[in-house]
Amino acid sequence: MNDDWLKNPKLKHIDKKKLKLLISLTEQAEKKEPDKLLPFFIEVTNRANSMGITFNDDETDIILNVLKARMSPEDIKKIEMIKNLSAMITEKSKKGKH
């Protein structure tokens, strides 16, 4: 797998623990069938959350861009739909707090 994603400037100040997890995630994803990548991403995210590790939007985008390189067009559409829904929920939540 191409490691160019590690050169992303958005990773410059990432916590070492998170970076190690991201590298592990991409290495594991490399061994997955393309149709298993979306469920894998969800599983890993849940596991990280249970360990107290959360990914910000930039980190999540980096992960998804790495995974999308091997995903089917259908799974990519699902990801985009989930991201859009999440953004809408976040925006609605922000408006409700004002």
Side-chain angles (χ1 to χ4, degrees):
M1 178 176 275
N2 187 336
D3 289 339
D4 284 346
W5 66 273
L6 287 168
K7 298 173 188 168
N8 189 314
K10 293 178 181 179
L11 292 175
K12 188 175 183 176
H13 300 291
I14 190 169
D15 177 78
K16 300 294 181 203
K17 189 174 174 182
K18 276 188 185 182
L19 184 58
K20 186 176 177 180
L21 183 62
L22 287 174
I23 292 168
S24 174
L25 170 104
T26 58
E27 288 171 352
Q28 291 175 49
E30 191 174 77
K31 299 170 188 158
K32 301 282 183 195
E33 295 295 321
D35 64 330
K36 304 289 188 217
L37 289 172
L38 183 57
F40 171 72
F41 171 72
I42 293 168
E43 173 196 335
V44 169
T45 301
N46 289 336
R47 194 171 358 133
N49 287 340
S50 72
M51 294 169 30
I53 299 172
T54 56
F55 298 106
N56 65 33
D57 290 343
D58 287 339
E59 294 162 350
T60 300
D61 283 344
I62 291 167
I63 296 167
L64 291 174
N65 287 334
V66 170
L67 297 180
K68 283 195 287 188
R70 293 189 47 240
M71 285 185 175
S72 70
E74 294 81 18
D75 282 344
I76 292 171
K77 285 180 186 177
K78 288 177 189 175
I79 286 174
E80 294 304 321
M81 185 175 66
I82 291 168
K83 284 175 58 177
N84 290 337
L85 287 171
S86 178
M88 287 171 38
I89 291 169
T90 300
E91 186 62 31
K92 188 173 183 177
S93 173
K94 287 179 183 177
K95 286 181 181 179
K97 292 181 180 180
H98 293 273

